[in-house]
Amino acid sequence: MEQKLAAVFSAVQSGSVSVTQVCVDNQISRQTYYRYQRRFRTEGLAGLNPRSRAPRRRPTQTGEVMVELIVRARKQLEVEGWDNGAISVRSRLLFDRVDPPSARTVHRVLVRAGMVEPNPKKRPRSSYRRFVFPATDDC
């Protein structure tokens, strides 16, 4: 795709093909064409590679200070021999007079930190089968 677009840019530059025709043939908008053209002029072929669409920052993500408090509280509960799940970690933070996020957010932080193992013994809800009598009065 990159070399194809580079050839298209040179063809448009020479005047043998119009920008409109190139956009129709490649099913892209003029805005996309000119964006790729700018990238090609500044970065060469590397500028035509697909880029990540992930956001550069996540403003709603739990802050590093809170993550550190959550991880420290979990380790402390584990050392003391208490239950160290998300609800217990949140309760410990409340006891320490810290305003923690919800238990679900605490769980997400612990999963991201690699401190939670999935429970493979738990049955999925789809595995439960309901027993039904063949006729209504068979009870």
Side-chain angles (χ1 to χ4, degrees), residues 40-71:
F40 181 68
R41 284 184 183 159
T42 58
E43 302 172 29
L45 278 177
L48 301 178
N49 290 332
R51 295 187 175 176
S52 173
R53 293 182 176 194
R56 291 190 177 100
R57 63 184 198 89
R58 292 173 174 85
T60 58
Q61 189 173 14
T62 307
E64 289 299 318
V65 175
M66 184 57 67
V67 169
E68 180 61 35
L69 287 172
I70 290 169
V71 169

Side-chain angles (χ1 to χ4, degrees), residues 51 56 99 105 108 133:
R51 295 187 175 176
R56 291 190 177 100
D99 186 26
T105 302
R108 280 191 217 108
F133 284 100

Side-chain angles (χ1 to χ4, degrees), residues 6 15 19 28 30 32 43-44 49 59 62 75 84 110 118 127-128:
V19 174
I28 59 173
R30 292 176 70 91
T32 303
E43 302 172 29
N49 290 332
T62 307
K75 288 179 182 176
N84 52 11
L110 294 173
S127 70
Y128 294 114

Side-chain angles (χ1 to χ4, degrees), residues 1 4 18 34 37 41 48-49 58-59 66 76 83 87 90 92 96 99 105 115 118 127-128:
M1 177 75 176
K4 178 182 174 185
S18 69
Y34 286 114
Q37 186 182 38
R41 284 184 183 159
L48 301 178
N49 290 332
R58 292 173 174 85
M66 184 57 67
Q76 186 179 13
D83 176 41
I87 295 172
R90 185 175 190 278
R92 172 54 66 101
D96 293 340
D99 186 26
T105 302
M115 300 180 84
S127 70
Y128 294 114

Side-chain angles (χ1 to χ4, degrees), residues 72-86:
R72 189 180 311 138
R74 178 174 168 104
K75 288 179 182 176
Q76 186 179 13
L77 286 170
E78 189 175 2
V79 167
E80 293 173 1
W82 294 100
D83 176 41
N84 52 11

